[in-house]
Amino acid sequence: MTTGVELVRTTELANGFCFGEGPRWFEGLLWFSDMLGEAVHTVNLGGAMTTLPLPGHAPSGLGFRPDGTLLIVSAERRQVLCYDGDTVELVADLGDVVPAALGDMVLDGQGRAYVGSQARAGDGVIVRIDPDDTVQVVAEHLDFPNGMAVTPDGATLIVAESTGRRLSAFTLDGEGGLSDRRVFAGGLDGPPDGIAIDAQGGVWTALTLAHRFERITEGGTVTDRVDTGGRAAIACALGGPEGRTLFLVTTTDVYPQRLVGTKLSRVEALTVGVPTPGEHAHHH
């Protein structure tokens, strides 16, 4: 059921890369991975881009530690890297603890990173990397864990289970433990990929095969919908100067291997009603 208006006015911000993933707004820039292009890019609201080349890596999920260090998931190598604005170094090699390539990542308020390993058929896991770089599996039996978000109060972690076509929620305790797994929204119209949460706890969800983004509230009500015009919806992020810019990453095919060598991925932006969690200055 859709109760909201279709949001269709988007502005193209960036294009010319291969397979965008993991958009994150941080300090005036949208950061995103080009998984096949082996790079992490930034783009500002004026469309100016920068590139951090990561040869030999397939970067996916991104996140920032409290000190501003960028963490980067290296999907196929099953590693997490860090970038301090100068050099890229290895934070953790998860090859011994995960069953499949890595996907998305989210950081909580204490700087703990949660990384999904994208196995199907209930074999997926979430691994937590603590600020001291220790590693622990904190959730198991997931159906291709993808996008993740932490609720504004820090008490719940939501994960998109792509092949399960649902958003699942875990209680997030003060030590970074995940418990009380439950369905946040099930029976989605397509496999969910990247997600972003807003100040009211609504979850913007990229529904890849459904060719749209939806804002879904707990229990599964769809309040807003953005049609992609037949493009694959990959991931989204909330940010911008007032926290009301929704960034949409789309591409032409959900199967990355078919896109090698192409430059058809793009980032678009539109304004939404509910801002991202946190404090936002009301000036431009």
Side-chain angles (χ1 to χ4, degrees):
M1 177 181 118
T2 303
T3 55
V5 185
E6 286 209 11
L7 301 162
V8 288
R9 288 186 298 279
T10 62
T11 302
E12 186 168 310
L13 265 194
N15 60 33
F17 50 97
C18 192
F19 194 85
E21 256 299 1
R24 303 287 183 264
W25 177 262
F26 185 72
E27 293 187 347
L29 295 171
L30 185 75
W31 299 69
F32 62 95
S33 294
D34 184 348
M35 210 160 76
L36 299 176
E38 300 188 347
V40 170
H41 299 288
T42 74
V43 62
N44 67 15
L45 291 179
M49 288 179 69
T50 72
T51 300
L52 170 66
L54 292 167
H57 292 282
S60 184
L62 303 175
F64 290 89
R65 283 182 159 171
D67 67 358
T69 299
L70 172 66
L71 296 186
I72 304 165
V73 169
S74 178
E76 304 299 332
R77 288 195 185 183
R78 307 183 189 190
Q79 296 173 339
V80 176
L81 314 172
C82 67
Y83 174 62
D84 61 4
D86 189 27
T87 56
V88 175
E89 293 176 1
L90 177 67
V91 169
D93 192 313
L94 305 181
D96 292 339
V97 294
V98 298
L102 305 178
D104 211 348
M105 171 173 58
V106 69
L107 272 73
D108 67 16
Q110 284 66 52
R112 294 178 287 234
Y114 302 80
V115 183
S117 171
Q118 298 184 319
R120 296 163 196 273
D123 291 329
V125 303
I126 297 173
V127 177
R128 190 184 75 226
I129 303 172
D130 288 334
D132 64 1
D133 298 344
T134 58
V135 168
Q136 182 179 343
V137 175
V138 287
E140 296 179 294
H141 310 304
L142 293 157
D143 294 322
F144 204 89
N146 215 322
M148 285 180 283
V150 174
T151 53
D153 62 6
T156 305
L157 182 143
I158 298 171
V159 57
E161 293 186 71
S162 295
T163 52
R165 294 201 177 199
R166 66 179 167 265
L167 303 177
S168 295
F170 291 88
T171 298
L172 178 57
D173 68 32
E175 279 71 59
L178 299 181
S179 61
D180 186 27
R181 178 182 175 182
R182 55 209 181 266
V183 175
F184 180 92
L188 305 182
D189 286 340
D193 193 333
I195 65 174
I197 197 163
D198 65 27
Q200 293 178 3
V203 180
W204 282 100
T205 306
L207 296 173
T208 51
L209 299 176
H211 303 129
R212 62 179 179 263
F213 294 85
E214 291 181 348
R215 182 183 181 270
I216 303 173
T217 55
E218 186 163 13
T221 298
V222 177
T223 64
D224 300 272
R225 181 174 285 163
V226 182
D227 191 279
T228 63
R231 292 173 63 85
I234 302 298
C236 49
L238 275 168
E242 295 178 3
R244 295 178 188 274
T245 304
L246 180 68
F247 298 96
L248 308 172
V249 178
T250 62
T251 188
T252 54
D253 199 311
V254 294
Y255 299 102
Q257 60 272 22
R258 296 184 192 160
L259 293 170
V260 173
T262 65
K263 299 283 186 190
L264 301 171
S265 197
R266 65 180 185 230
V267 179
E268 294 168 85
L270 57 79
T271 301
V272 295
V274 183
T276 185
E279 294 301 311
H280 291 281
H282 295 285
H283 58 80
H284 296 276

